[in-house]
Amino acid sequence: MDAAVPVLDCSNLSKSYGPVKALIDVDFTLQRGEVRALLGKNGAGKSTLVNLISGSVQPDDGTIRLSGQEVHWDGPGAARAGGISVVHQEFSLVPGLTVAENITMGRWPARNGFINQERLQAEAQRALDMLGVDLPSWQLVGSLPIAQQQMVEIAKALVDDPDVLILDEPTSALNATEVDVLLALIRRLAATGVTVIYVSHRMKEIPQVADRMTIMRDGREVATLGIEEANPERVAALIAGEATEVEAATFHDRSSAPVALSVRSLAVDGILNDVSFDLHQGEVLGIAGFLGSGRTELLEAIFGLRHDVSGEVLVGGKSIRRRKPRKMLAQRVAMTSEDRKHAGIVPALGVGENVVLTARGRVLPKFWLRSRAEARLQAATIDQLAIRTSSPAQEVGTLSGGNQQKAVIGRALAAEMQVLLLDEPTRGIDVHAKTQIYGLIRELALSGHSSIFVSSELEEMPLVCDRVIVLRAGRSCEVLAGEQVSAERILALTMKEAD
Amino acid sequence: SDADVASDKDKAEGTNLKIGLIMLQGDTYYQGIQTGLEAAVKADGGSVTTGLSNNDPATESQVAQNMIQSKVDAILMQPTGGDASIATMQAIQKAGITLICYGNCTDAALEPENSSGVIQSDNTALGTGTGEAAATYINEKLGGKAKIAILNCDIASACKLRKAGFKKALEDAGIEADYVTDQEAYLADKSTAVTADILTANSDVDLIWASNEGGTVGATVGVKQAGSKIPVYGTDISVQLAEMLLDADGILQVTTGQDPIKTAEGAYEMAKKAIAGDKNDPFAVELPGIVYDRANAAGVNDFIAASK
Amino acid sequence: MAVADVEVLQKVPTSPLAAAFQRAKAWDGIGLLAVLVLLYVVLSLKSPYFLTTDNQLSILQNAAFFGIVAFAMTLVIVSGEIDISVGSMAALSSSMLGVFVVNHGVPMPVAVVLVIAAAAAIGAGAGAMRAYFGVPTFIATLALYLALKGLAQLLTNNFPLPIDSERFFYWGDGRVLGIPVPALYLAGTFLVLIIISKKTVFGRSIYAVGGNAKAAGLSGINVRRVKILVMMIVAITAAITGLLQTALLASGNSTIAVGLEFDAIAATIIGGAALSGGKGSIVGTVMGVLFIAALLNGMVLLSVNPYAQQVVRGAVVLAAVLVNVWRTRKSSLE
Amino acid sequence: MAVADVEVLQKVPTSPLAAAFQRAKAWDGIGLLAVLVLLYVVLSLKSPYFLTTDNQLSILQNAAFFGIVAFAMTLVIVSGEIDISVGSMAALSSSMLGVFVVNHGVPMPVAVVLVIAAAAAIGAGAGAMRAYFGVPTFIATLALYLALKGLAQLLTNNFPLPIDSERFFYWGDGRVLGIPVPALYLAGTFLVLIIISKKTVFGRSIYAVGGNAKAAGLSGINVRRVKILVMMIVAITAAITGLLQTALLASGNSTIAVGLEFDAIAATIIGGAALSGGKGSIVGTVMGVLFIAALLNGMVLLSVNPYAQQVVRGAVVLAAVLVNVWRTRKSSLE
Ligand SMILES: Nc1ncnc2c1ncn2[C@@H]1O[C@H](COP(=O)(O)OP(=O)(O)OP(=O)(O)O)[C@@H](O)[C@H]1O
Ligand SMILES: Nc1ncnc2c1ncn2[C@@H]1O[C@H](COP(=O)(O)OP(=O)(O)OP(=O)(O)O)[C@@H](O)[C@H]1O
Ligand SMILES: [Mg+2]
Ligand SMILES: [Mg+2]
């Protein structure tokens, strides 16, 4: 299309990990100043493509040209020197170093091995200015909130004026306002000629930022479209390989059903402040709020993971004092963490074992394992949740994100839990898997389970929740029910000035 | 080769024997035992298997087990302690293997039913040898009264005998001894630090007695380093200690050494006799210690010459 | 993440039989088994005494003196912890028994119970420090390593305390149907611990806690209790080892079991356990234990210089670990 | 998570000065400093000799024999690794020097260079095993712990080899302006390593690698090189310690430096470093070193029973770690 030499031109890139073909014959061309969205299910090969372009993994086959020159990176350092910077999907900050040291990490200005602190600070500051955020550059990164850490992460990619900036799911930890800031920044950078590759599962962001999109499936590039040709149904179909239907939940008014769990004047010093609500049987209650509005803390406070909580939690009308996880589980209340990898799965254990962890000693016998009963429960749960695994013995760490999340939820179901506290159950999983999780939560509601559903993706709320509570300034503010639940309303309310 | 089993003729004549040697640890003394034994056994066409107990009766028992399995004709063993090693010694005998106790055989290890022979330095005498020299010094220079610091190696039972011997020699000579401190220090580097600390806390110490080679080296170095002249009386001998005895700094005075080569040769002879079916008489042999004195440079030089 | 599975995901579901076969093929222990067999072949060729029944029984007896602890150490390492105080604990147990029986005339069975109870309490203490204060077990047991040894020496003044009880000696060097009693203990401990690790809720919890303590806690597993219990179990096995040694040597000794922690940890690691927790098996450790015991025995049979034995031991541990790492290698750094 | 942090978030300090002040207030070392001062006060009250210049210099000299290694060990632990072979490495270095100089007549300076080069190569080897094959340094150095010691004994046949060189002895027991040479080495190593750790790219990389190896690698830091280098540095300090001991004792010895790893690791941990990496400082380790050295000295000054000394040592290490954990405590399990 353009006569100019493309900034980045990949042809026939292939990469295998053992028997897995992570990337097959991918061609990928980018023009200067273009913003390209990269979409695909979990495991489609997005990160692998990013890794090849940014030099942290070597291709088995194929060539990469940068402004017409063929390049062979021998490591991420070389690629960065060549003008390619990446914000990785996983956090890549060092908590024990300062903001400035983190931003400039790997290219600390030095003479004879000695760091030039002044230049280091100046360079870091320049990157922060470029990003338009105000962060204390001498602060240890470990002491910053997650969202600010993400900003550091992006500043880190900007510090050496990249020609190509790659963002691998940069918004999964950001709230709506911060996402807007970031998207604006990307547009600004693109206008100055920087080329951006933007990997995301959040469909809503794509049209706001990208010029074109590339969709990947099973290691192949399946389509590259201009943003105007892309309607959501078509994109979803391309991603999933088959049309997927996302139907909104039919609203159930459960307000007359018995109360399963109620929260009275819950407060956590400095974070939550007088939160009260009731969760009825068979209800899915959404909790909406900014990132950092204390949603996770709320769930943790209910589940007994914090010791600095005042207020009351009642399960089935009975007040539960001195809460701790085991006590709450005994009341049939379970929680799944937003951090699936570090607090959800036990990666080295089989799917089956993961699923029965909570059930053991509760619905399964207390001391001896009963292998029959155990196998039956494992199989039933795997079956009920349609977890895709070769056998219950397959290590859960080797499953895709969506299936891992199902296993975590399955753990609560196998133990016959009635109330589920679900913190970001759809974080970082693909569209297809998300749909399945929505369906699962709705089904559970029909069978009498109650859930609290926390998500940063407001569009999900109307798809799953019967009712949504907006958390603002640590208080439970408005309640939306039924038809009132819409992404726009929720957004407006979360952003409303504190009274 | 090691599959070869000594024939009855070999056993009668004491040739081609397979001898197991169990030592406490590696140091100059045991090195002498090992070289002495290997030379003697090789001369008869036999072979030696060596094992270390590291002062641990449990390790000792395992090493002995393994030697029993390798069908040695005799085991020469320095027990970790008479009582601690008794079960191991009985196990060796029960397996039909000749056992000779060498080096330090106390308590049960001295019983004739527990071995076919005993040969050892008289550990008490090792202490007395140095003790007598120290007593002479105290009587002549200090008027019969002295504050004494001890560096012990009490983890080995032999050292306790040495200490008793040393104290007894002073007592017999009518010395009024005040043992101001008695610290564990038997490795050279640790003893150096301990000596420095002792000198700090007890600037009025009149002499130091150390109970083994490492302790003696450490005490001598420690005193020298503190810029002090306090005399050191030691135990054991090595080339380094011999050179310290000759050193002009005049710190190390006297040390009483064992004779590992004689011990090893004697033990081997006893083993041969027992294998051939003869009784060892006397059953227990005690070798005297050799006193090396700064005042007798010739004796010290002889040791150095013999070691090279 | 793992590779094989993605493929599997493509063509679900294979039959259970095929899956079992696949698992056997990928069994991590296979490399170690090969190494162990190789060692046996080499030693058999080199020494005619090696493969005799007597010698094999003797290997088993010697294996007992670190193997019993190694099995429990496996549970500790799987749970993500470590215990380097087991040698000192064994020495202290032996000393305590000596002091109780010889100095205070406590009846033997009572003394044995007291010693094991004390060890259990100390082990639980180290576990509690970890569970409640977050003191790493490496540090807590490093301190215990010194303190318990010192205590043993203090109690006995470093003198062996001869114990006079034929009945008791039997536990150290008696035989049942020709098999040395310590070897039976080894087998017994193996059975008990493998049943615990495979068939009980507690045993499976050890894997969950070591694999992801946070997830285990959220799933309602009592993480603290698991950590405390494994530390207690390993301390008890150390005490049992100390008591067996005492029976064998017929005296309470503060100088025994030097380096026990080395052999126990080495056997566990050779057996394929990962120091980072969550991974390891008692069956693997059995092979690690046999490997070390056969090696030590073989070197004496072959009259290897005792200093060179140390070198060989170090080199062989390293080699075995390399083989293991090689087989189960995921990705190295970067 | 920690409540304190949330507070910090609310009111992020607005100037570097305010931040520096906040950091000082929250300085992890403050607890340790208090404990150290307490120890000094107690010992001064108990023994009139403790606070004399001579005794303090003697403490420094003795501190050198594990402190030099402790400083390097801090870098190793910050990088997320460990080295438990340093004692054997020191013994091997001393033995090698003896063999080179005494048995082979190699000139002293050449011999010293050879010994240090050999140590560096072995250390780098352990680091490379970690970096390229993923063998945990705990395991690799556990193997080296045995193998190097065996090698030292094999080389010297466990004979001390008397070295005859007044010039050389100076390094062990000489004094400069009244200060013992080993203490100067201690100070020198401190200076070099603190500058490396605070002011150089390599030093900051150690923290980056220990804090988040993956991120460090992705930022272009050569993680492998960092791991290899820290293991090399600690091996070199172990060799230097061995050489200083050799100079002090005037002989090459395979029996020296037993337990060096214990003191070096204990000093580092007492100094506030975390075994999990990314956290620790050489300044903290200085306090840990002084703490242990003063304690050992004090116990001899007070003629504490040597067995009881071990118990005290273990208990005190534990206590110091508890104090540290208490102050920096985030959350225990669950
Ligand atoms: N280091 C690795 N070793 C083995 N397999 C890998 C590795 N990295 C990626 N893979 C596999 O390659 C395939 C592509 O993975 P990739 O991370 O590129 O997917 P993705 O599209 O980024 O997914 P996600 O949306 O979950 O981030 C997957 O099947 C994955 O399991
Ligand atoms: N590990 C932490 N360290 C410091 N502060 C934290 C930490 N976790 C959360 N916070 C702070 O606590 C407050 C509430 O955070 P919380 O994680 O509960 O928000 P959330 O609404 O659940 O958002 P998220 O989308 O991140 O889960 C915020 O100010 C946040 O920055
Ligand atoms: Mg990805
Ligand atoms: Mg949250």
Side-chain angles (χ1 to χ4, degrees), chain A residues 51 56 76-77 80 88 90-98 101 105-110 113-115 117 136 138-140 142-145 148 156 269-271 297 300 305-306 308 324 326 341, chain D residues 1-3 5-6 8-10 12-20 22-23 195-196 198-221 278 334:
Chain A
N51 288 341
S56 44
R80 210 177 35 218
H88 284 279
E90 270 150 36
F91 260 23
S92 56
L93 297 176
V94 178
L97 295 181
T98 65
E101 282 175 330
M105 187 160 78
R107 48 218 178 282
W108 289 316
F114 284 86
I115 293 179
Q117 272 296 338
W138 56 83
Q139 191 91 2
L140 291 186
S143 63
L144 295 178
Q148 294 193 2
K156 191 176 152 195
D269 197 28
I271 300 172
E297 273 78 0
E300 287 177 350
L305 287 168
R306 303 185 65 96
D308 49 355
K324 55 182 182 175
R326 265 171 288 129
K341 199 160 152 200
Chain D
M1 297 281 144
V3 186
D5 304 328
V6 177
V8 170
L9 293 175
Q10 248 69 333
V12 170
T14 44
S15 78
L17 205 80
Q22 257 192 9
R23 248 182 296 162
I195 289 174
I196 288 185
K198 297 228 161 190
K199 300 281 175 201
T200 69
V201 172
F202 166 61
R204 301 314 293 166
S205 300
I206 298 173
Y207 283 80
V209 167
N212 188 342
K214 209 164 169 196
L218 288 175
S219 310
I221 289 174
E334 291 196 319

Side-chain angles (χ1 to χ4, degrees), chain B residues 25-29 31-32 34-35 52 54 152 154-155 160 180-184 186-190 192-204 213-214 217-218 221-222 224-226 238-241 243-244 247, chain D residues 47 49-50 52 54-55 58-59 61-62 153 156-164 166 169 172-173 175 180 182 245 248-251 253 255-260 263 296-307 309-310:
Chain B
Q25 68 217 13
D27 68 18
T28 312
Y29 171 74
Q31 194 50 46
Q34 196 183 352
T35 23
L52 294 180
N54 289 321
N152 74 50
D154 287 352
I155 54 149
K160 293 172 188 151
V180 290
T181 184
D182 182 351
Q183 293 284 330
E184 178 178 88
Y186 55 92
L187 294 171
D189 55 340
K190 303 282 184 287
T192 310
V194 168
T195 303
D197 293 343
I198 288 177
L199 294 179
T200 304
N202 309 283
S203 47
D204 53 348
E213 184 204 349
V217 169
V221 171
K224 180 173 176 188
Q225 213 208 326
S238 67
V239 174
Q240 188 177 16
L241 286 180
E243 286 174 352
M244 284 173 165
D247 198 335
Chain D
S47 163
Y49 308 111
F50 181 72
T52 60
D54 254 19
N55 191 51
S58 156
I59 290 181
Q61 173 163 14
N62 290 336
Q153 295 174 320
T156 57
N157 249 321
N158 237 345
F159 273 114
L161 292 159
I163 290 174
D164 202 8
E166 282 296 335
F169 300 161
D173 69 356
R175 289 183 175 234
Q245 285 281 14
L248 180 65
L249 298 173
S251 62
N253 266 293
T255 55
I256 62 164
V258 175
L260 173 58
D263 289 328
L296 292 180
N297 171 276
M299 287 195 295
V300 176
L301 291 192
L302 301 178
S303 280
V304 176
N305 171 315
Y307 307 137
Q309 286 188 20
Q310 301 280 83

